[in-house]
PDB file of all heavy atoms in Angstrom:
ATOM      1  N   GLY A   1       0.804  -1.195  -0.072  1.00 96.00           N
ATOM      2  CA  GLY A   1      -0.045   0.019   0.018  1.00 96.00           C
ATOM      3  C   GLY A   1       0.747   1.333   0.025  1.00 96.00           C
ATOM      4  O   GLY A   1       2.022   1.228  -0.213  1.00 96.00           O
ATOM      5  N   VAL A   2       0.075   2.368   0.212  1.00 96.00           N
ATOM      6  CA  VAL A   2       0.636   3.690   0.080  1.00 96.00           C
ATOM      7  C   VAL A   2       0.531   4.420   1.498  1.00 96.00           C
ATOM      8  O   VAL A   2      -0.520   4.234   2.146  1.00 96.00           O
ATOM      9  CB  VAL A   2      -0.125   4.544  -0.894  1.00 96.00           C
ATOM     10  CG1 VAL A   2       0.287   5.987  -0.962  1.00 96.00           C
ATOM     11  CG2 VAL A   2      -0.056   3.944  -2.314  1.00 96.00           C
ATOM     12  N   ASP A   3       1.582   5.116   1.926  1.00 95.00           N
ATOM     13  CA  ASP A   3       1.442   5.823   3.186  1.00 95.00           C
ATOM     14  C   ASP A   3       0.907   7.211   3.037  1.00 95.00           C
ATOM     15  O   ASP A   3      -0.139   7.577   3.391  1.00 95.00           O
ATOM     16  CB  ASP A   3       2.795   5.791   3.975  1.00 95.00           C
ATOM     17  CG  ASP A   3       4.020   6.151   2.942  1.00 95.00           C
ATOM     18  OD1 ASP A   3       3.788   6.716   1.924  1.00 95.00           O
ATOM     19  OD2 ASP A   3       5.068   5.710   3.453  1.00 95.00           O
ATOM     20  N   GLN A   4       1.638   8.076   2.312  1.00 94.00           N
ATOM     21  CA  GLN A   4       1.244   9.463   2.182  1.00 94.00           C
ATOM     22  C   GLN A   4       1.016   9.728   0.635  1.00 94.00           C
ATOM     23  O   GLN A   4       1.889   9.778  -0.213  1.00 94.00           O
ATOM     24  CB  GLN A   4       2.335  10.412   2.642  1.00 94.00           C
ATOM     25  CG  GLN A   4       2.664  10.226   4.144  1.00 94.00           C
ATOM     26  CD  GLN A   4       1.484  10.546   5.046  1.00 94.00           C
ATOM     27  OE1 GLN A   4       0.717  11.544   4.736  1.00 94.00           O
ATOM     28  NE2 GLN A   4       1.303   9.800   6.057  1.00 94.00           N
ATOM     29  N   PRO A   5      -0.257   9.767   0.168  1.00 97.00           N
ATOM     30  CA  PRO A   5      -0.616   9.839  -1.156  1.00 97.00           C
ATOM     31  C   PRO A   5      -0.428  11.184  -1.897  1.00 97.00           C
ATOM     32  O   PRO A   5      -0.726  11.316  -2.992  1.00 97.00           O
ATOM     33  CB  PRO A   5      -1.981   9.451  -1.276  1.00 97.00           C
ATOM     34  CG  PRO A   5      -2.587   9.862   0.082  1.00 97.00           C
ATOM     35  CD  PRO A   5      -1.470   9.765   1.046  1.00 97.00           C
ATOM     36  N   VAL A   6      -0.064  12.230  -1.105  1.00 97.00           N
ATOM     37  CA  VAL A   6      -0.036  13.522  -1.649  1.00 97.00           C
ATOM     38  C   VAL A   6       1.317  14.183  -1.296  1.00 97.00           C
ATOM     39  O   VAL A   6       1.813  13.967  -0.177  1.00 97.00           O
ATOM     40  CB  VAL A   6      -1.157  14.447  -1.177  1.00 97.00           C
ATOM     41  CG1 VAL A   6      -1.085  15.859  -1.669  1.00 97.00           C
ATOM     42  CG2 VAL A   6      -2.543  13.908  -1.477  1.00 97.00           C
ATOM     43  N   SER A   7       1.929  14.928  -2.222  1.00 96.00           N
ATOM     44  CA  SER A   7       3.105  15.701  -1.934  1.00 96.00           C
ATOM     45  C   SER A   7       2.923  17.126  -2.486  1.00 96.00           C
ATOM     46  O   SER A   7       2.115  17.373  -3.374  1.00 96.00           O
ATOM     47  CB  SER A   7       4.379  15.020  -2.539  1.00 96.00           C
ATOM     48  OG  SER A   7       4.115  14.915  -3.919  1.00 96.00           O
ATOM     49  N   ILE A   8       3.756  18.054  -2.024  1.00 96.00           N
ATOM     50  CA  ILE A   8       3.683  19.319  -2.514  1.00 96.00           C
ATOM     51  C   ILE A   8       4.593  19.507  -3.740  1.00 96.00           C
ATOM     52  O   ILE A   8       5.866  19.335  -3.666  1.00 96.00           O
ATOM     53  CB  ILE A   8       4.153  20.391  -1.345  1.00 96.00           C
ATOM     54  CG1 ILE A   8       3.206  20.364  -0.246  1.00 96.00           C
ATOM     55  CG2 ILE A   8       4.223  21.784  -2.021  1.00 96.00           C
ATOM     56  CD1 ILE A   8       3.545  21.223   0.966  1.00 96.00           C
ATOM     57  N   ARG A   9       3.931  19.860  -4.874  1.00 96.00           N
ATOM     58  CA  ARG A   9       4.779  20.084  -6.066  1.00 96.00           C
ATOM     59  C   ARG A   9       5.296  21.474  -6.153  1.00 96.00           C
ATOM     60  O   ARG A   9       6.408  21.714  -6.658  1.00 96.00           O
ATOM     61  CB  ARG A   9       3.804  19.792  -7.310  1.00 96.00           C
ATOM     62  CG  ARG A   9       4.378  20.152  -8.648  1.00 96.00           C
ATOM     63  CD  ARG A   9       3.498  19.778  -9.753  1.00 96.00           C
ATOM     64  NE  ARG A   9       3.939  20.398 -11.012  1.00 96.00           N
ATOM     65  CZ  ARG A   9       3.315  20.158 -12.173  1.00 96.00           C
ATOM     66  NH1 ARG A   9       2.376  19.268 -12.256  1.00 96.00           N
ATOM     67  NH2 ARG A   9       3.750  20.762 -13.271  1.00 96.00           N
ATOM     68  N   GLU A  10       4.410  22.512  -5.740  1.00 94.00           N
ATOM     69  CA  GLU A  10       4.840  23.854  -5.808  1.00 94.00           C
ATOM     70  C   GLU A  10       4.150  24.578  -4.691  1.00 94.00           C
ATOM     71  O   GLU A  10       3.051  24.281  -4.231  1.00 94.00           O
ATOM     72  CB  GLU A  10       4.482  24.383  -7.159  1.00 94.00           C
ATOM     73  CG  GLU A  10       4.894  25.829  -7.376  1.00 94.00           C
ATOM     74  CD  GLU A  10       4.499  26.318  -8.773  1.00 94.00           C
ATOM     75  OE1 GLU A  10       4.340  25.524  -9.707  1.00 94.00           O
ATOM     76  OE2 GLU A  10       4.260  27.449  -8.959  1.00 94.00           O
ATOM     77  N   SER A  11       4.804  25.616  -4.146  1.00 94.00           N
ATOM     78  CA  SER A  11       4.283  26.402  -3.045  1.00 94.00           C
ATOM     79  C   SER A  11       4.540  27.856  -3.287  1.00 94.00           C
ATOM     80  O   SER A  11       5.747  28.213  -3.686  1.00 94.00           O
ATOM     81  CB  SER A  11       4.820  25.935  -1.631  1.00 94.00           C
ATOM     82  OG  SER A  11       4.398  26.775  -0.631  1.00 94.00           O
ATOM     83  N   ARG A  12       3.609  28.774  -3.103  1.00 94.00           N
ATOM     84  CA  ARG A  12       3.802  30.110  -3.262  1.00 94.00           C
ATOM     85  C   ARG A  12       3.179  30.883  -2.040  1.00 94.00           C
ATOM     86  O   ARG A  12       2.109  30.639  -1.620  1.00 94.00           O
ATOM     87  CB  ARG A  12       3.061  30.706  -4.621  1.00 94.00           C
ATOM     88  CG  ARG A  12       3.537  30.014  -5.833  1.00 94.00           C
ATOM     89  CD  ARG A  12       2.829  30.616  -7.013  1.00 94.00           C
ATOM     90  NE  ARG A  12       3.280  30.035  -8.288  1.00 94.00           N
ATOM     91  CZ  ARG A  12       2.916  30.486  -9.474  1.00 94.00           C
ATOM     92  NH1 ARG A  12       2.078  31.352  -9.604  1.00 94.00           N
ATOM     93  NH2 ARG A  12       3.383  29.819 -10.515  1.00 94.00           N
ATOM     94  N   VAL A  13       4.002  31.807  -1.477  1.00 92.00           N
ATOM     95  CA  VAL A  13       3.550  32.528  -0.284  1.00 92.00           C
ATOM     96  C   VAL A  13       3.302  33.997  -0.692  1.00 92.00           C
ATOM     97  O   VAL A  13       4.040  34.589  -1.289  1.00 92.00           O
ATOM     98  CB  VAL A  13       4.678  32.451   0.750  1.00 92.00           C
ATOM     99  CG1 VAL A  13       4.184  33.254   2.029  1.00 92.00           C
ATOM    100  CG2 VAL A  13       4.933  31.014   1.193  1.00 92.00           C
ATOM    101  N   SER A  14       2.159  34.480  -0.222  1.00 89.00           N
ATOM    102  CA  SER A  14       1.792  35.791  -0.513  1.00 89.00           C
ATOM    103  C   SER A  14       2.631  36.818   0.209  1.00 89.00           C
ATOM    104  O   SER A  14       2.790  36.686   1.456  1.00 89.00           O
ATOM    105  CB  SER A  14       0.269  36.091  -0.260  1.00 89.00           C
ATOM    106  OG  SER A  14      -0.116  37.445  -0.260  1.00 89.00           O
ATOM    107  N   LYS A  15       3.124  37.856  -0.455  1.00 87.00           N
ATOM    108  CA  LYS A  15       3.852  38.914   0.178  1.00 87.00           C
ATOM    109  C   LYS A  15       2.849  39.913   0.903  1.00 87.00           C
ATOM    110  O   LYS A  15       3.237  40.684   1.739  1.00 87.00           O
ATOM    111  CB  LYS A  15       4.677  39.676  -0.816  1.00 87.00           C
ATOM    112  CG  LYS A  15       5.769  38.834  -1.458  1.00 87.00           C
ATOM    113  CD  LYS A  15       6.545  39.641  -2.466  1.00 87.00           C
ATOM    114  CE  LYS A  15       7.636  38.804  -3.096  1.00 87.00           C
ATOM    115  NZ  LYS A  15       8.344  39.541  -4.191  1.00 87.00           N
ATOM    116  N   LEU A  16       1.638  39.832   0.585  1.00 86.00           N
ATOM    117  CA  LEU A  16       0.548  40.661   1.204  1.00 86.00           C
ATOM    118  C   LEU A  16       0.137  40.257   2.568  1.00 86.00           C
ATOM    119  O   LEU A  16      -0.008  41.104   3.423  1.00 86.00           O
ATOM    120  CB  LEU A  16      -0.615  40.805   0.230  1.00 86.00           C
ATOM    121  CG  LEU A  16      -0.328  41.259  -1.247  1.00 86.00           C
ATOM    122  CD1 LEU A  16      -1.577  41.196  -2.118  1.00 86.00           C
ATOM    123  CD2 LEU A  16       0.223  42.622  -1.187  1.00 86.00           C
ATOM    124  N   ASP A  17      -0.181  38.873   2.767  1.00 85.00           N
ATOM    125  CA  ASP A  17      -0.749  38.554   3.959  1.00 85.00           C
ATOM    126  C   ASP A  17      -0.194  37.168   4.479  1.00 85.00           C
ATOM    127  O   ASP A  17      -0.765  36.585   5.441  1.00 85.00           O
ATOM    128  CB  ASP A  17      -2.295  38.474   3.730  1.00 85.00           C
ATOM    129  CG  ASP A  17      -2.694  37.652   2.527  1.00 85.00           C
ATOM    130  OD1 ASP A  17      -2.055  36.603   2.299  1.00 85.00           O
ATOM    131  OD2 ASP A  17      -3.696  38.044   1.865  1.00 85.00           O
ATOM    132  N   GLY A  18       0.752  36.599   3.787  1.00 87.00           N
ATOM    133  CA  GLY A  18       1.321  35.336   4.227  1.00 87.00           C
ATOM    134  C   GLY A  18       0.508  34.088   3.849  1.00 87.00           C
ATOM    135  O   GLY A  18       0.847  32.921   4.158  1.00 87.00           O
ATOM    136  N   THR A  19      -0.619  34.284   3.106  1.00 93.00           N
ATOM    137  CA  THR A  19      -1.367  33.134   2.564  1.00 93.00           C
ATOM    138  C   THR A  19      -0.378  32.273   1.760  1.00 93.00           C
ATOM    139  O   THR A  19       0.462  32.735   0.996  1.00 93.00           O
ATOM    140  CB  THR A  19      -2.550  33.636   1.700  1.00 93.00           C
ATOM    141  OG1 THR A  19      -3.479  34.297   2.666  1.00 93.00           O
ATOM    142  CG2 THR A  19      -3.288  32.463   1.082  1.00 93.00           C
ATOM    143  N   GLU A  20      -0.528  30.867   1.885  1.00 95.00           N
ATOM    144  CA  GLU A  20       0.315  30.047   1.091  1.00 95.00           C
ATOM    145  C   GLU A  20      -0.494  29.162   0.160  1.00 95.00           C
ATOM    146  O   GLU A  20      -1.539  28.571   0.607  1.00 95.00           O
ATOM    147  CB  GLU A  20       1.140  29.128   2.046  1.00 95.00           C
ATOM    148  CG  GLU A  20       2.212  28.336   1.350  1.00 95.00           C
ATOM    149  CD  GLU A  20       3.164  27.689   2.319  1.00 95.00           C
ATOM    150  OE1 GLU A  20       3.081  27.889   3.622  1.00 95.00           O
ATOM    151  OE2 GLU A  20       4.279  27.177   1.871  1.00 95.00           O
ATOM    152  N   LYS A  21      -0.220  29.195  -1.145  1.00 95.00           N
ATOM    153  CA  LYS A  21      -0.957  28.423  -2.163  1.00 95.00           C
ATOM    154  C   LYS A  21      -0.139  27.157  -2.485  1.00 95.00           C
ATOM    155  O   LYS A  21       1.072  27.305  -2.844  1.00 95.00           O
ATOM    156  CB  LYS A  21      -1.191  29.286  -3.297  1.00 95.00           C
ATOM    157  CG  LYS A  21      -1.969  28.602  -4.423  1.00 95.00           C
ATOM    158  CD  LYS A  21      -3.465  28.460  -4.044  1.00 95.00           C
ATOM    159  CE  LYS A  21      -4.242  27.906  -5.191  1.00 95.00           C
ATOM    160  NZ  LYS A  21      -4.801  28.864  -6.131  1.00 95.00           N
ATOM    161  N   PHE A  22      -0.762  26.034  -2.433  1.00 96.00           N
ATOM    162  CA  PHE A  22      -0.069  24.721  -2.727  1.00 96.00           C
ATOM    163  C   PHE A  22      -0.566  24.226  -4.069  1.00 96.00           C
ATOM    164  O   PHE A  22      -1.804  24.276  -4.348  1.00 96.00           O
ATOM    165  CB  PHE A  22      -0.267  23.717  -1.705  1.00 96.00           C
ATOM    166  CG  PHE A  22       0.147  24.175  -0.252  1.00 96.00           C
ATOM    167  CD1 PHE A  22      -0.796  24.288   0.715  1.00 96.00           C
ATOM    168  CD2 PHE A  22       1.472  24.346  -0.010  1.00 96.00           C
ATOM    169  CE1 PHE A  22      -0.376  24.637   2.015  1.00 96.00           C
ATOM    170  CE2 PHE A  22       1.906  24.631   1.249  1.00 96.00           C
ATOM    171  CZ  PHE A  22       1.019  24.756   2.273  1.00 96.00           C
ATOM    172  N   LEU A  23       0.365  23.724  -4.847  1.00 96.00           N
ATOM    173  CA  LEU A  23      -0.047  22.884  -6.000  1.00 96.00           C
ATOM    174  C   LEU A  23       0.410  21.455  -5.479  1.00 96.00           C
ATOM    175  O   LEU A  23       1.691  21.171  -5.330  1.00 96.00           O
ATOM    176  CB  LEU A  23       0.570  23.279  -7.292  1.00 96.00           C
ATOM    177  CG  LEU A  23       0.247  22.556  -8.496  1.00 96.00           C
ATOM    178  CD1 LEU A  23      -1.283  22.955  -8.771  1.00 96.00           C
ATOM    179  CD2 LEU A  23       1.118  22.857  -9.645  1.00 96.00           C
ATOM    180  N   PHE A  24      -0.483  20.572  -5.181  1.00 97.00           N
ATOM    181  CA  PHE A  24      -0.309  19.300  -4.769  1.00 97.00           C
ATOM    182  C   PHE A  24      -0.122  18.311  -5.926  1.00 97.00           C
ATOM    183  O   PHE A  24      -0.886  18.319  -6.892  1.00 97.00           O
ATOM    184  CB  PHE A  24      -1.358  18.778  -3.842  1.00 97.00           C
ATOM    185  CG  PHE A  24      -1.549  19.606  -2.557  1.00 97.00           C
ATOM    186  CD1 PHE A  24      -2.725  20.240  -2.263  1.00 97.00           C
ATOM    187  CD2 PHE A  24      -0.629  19.553  -1.531  1.00 97.00           C
ATOM    188  CE1 PHE A  24      -2.881  20.931  -1.017  1.00 97.00           C
ATOM    189  CE2 PHE A  24      -0.728  20.220  -0.324  1.00 97.00           C
ATOM    190  CZ  PHE A  24      -1.817  20.923  -0.097  1.00 97.00           C
ATOM    191  N   ALA A  25       0.757  17.344  -5.775  1.00 97.00           N
ATOM    192  CA  ALA A  25       0.970  16.300  -6.784  1.00 97.00           C
ATOM    193  C   ALA A  25       0.404  15.026  -6.170  1.00 97.00           C
ATOM    194  O   ALA A  25       0.516  14.729  -5.124  1.00 97.00           O
ATOM    195  CB  ALA A  25       2.493  16.108  -6.990  1.00 97.00           C
ATOM    196  N   LEU A  26      -0.322  14.347  -7.058  1.00 98.00           N
ATOM    197  CA  LEU A  26      -0.944  13.014  -6.783  1.00 98.00           C
ATOM    198  C   LEU A  26      -0.133  11.957  -7.426  1.00 98.00           C
ATOM    199  O   LEU A  26       0.603  12.172  -8.312  1.00 98.00           O
ATOM    200  CB  LEU A  26      -2.394  12.959  -7.270  1.00 98.00           C
ATOM    201  CG  LEU A  26      -3.272  14.100  -6.735  1.00 98.00           C
ATOM    202  CD1 LEU A  26      -4.670  14.031  -7.301  1.00 98.00           C
ATOM    203  CD2 LEU A  26      -3.378  14.217  -5.258  1.00 98.00           C
TER     204      LEU A  26
END
């Protein structure tokens, strides 16, 4: 089987408010 089925492919952090946007890889 599979343990962790998702990983972070790309991450962007907003300079305005610290919000972080993830592009997850399956």
Side-chain angles (χ1 to χ4, degrees):
V2 179
D3 44 22
Q4 301 297 322
V6 178
S7 60
I8 296 175
R9 171 175 166 174
E10 185 177 332
S11 174
R12 300 183 180 184
V13 179
S14 171
K15 295 178 181 177
L16 301 175
D17 52 38
T19 296
E20 191 164 4
K21 182 72 177 272
F22 302 116
L23 190 67
F24 294 117
L26 306 178

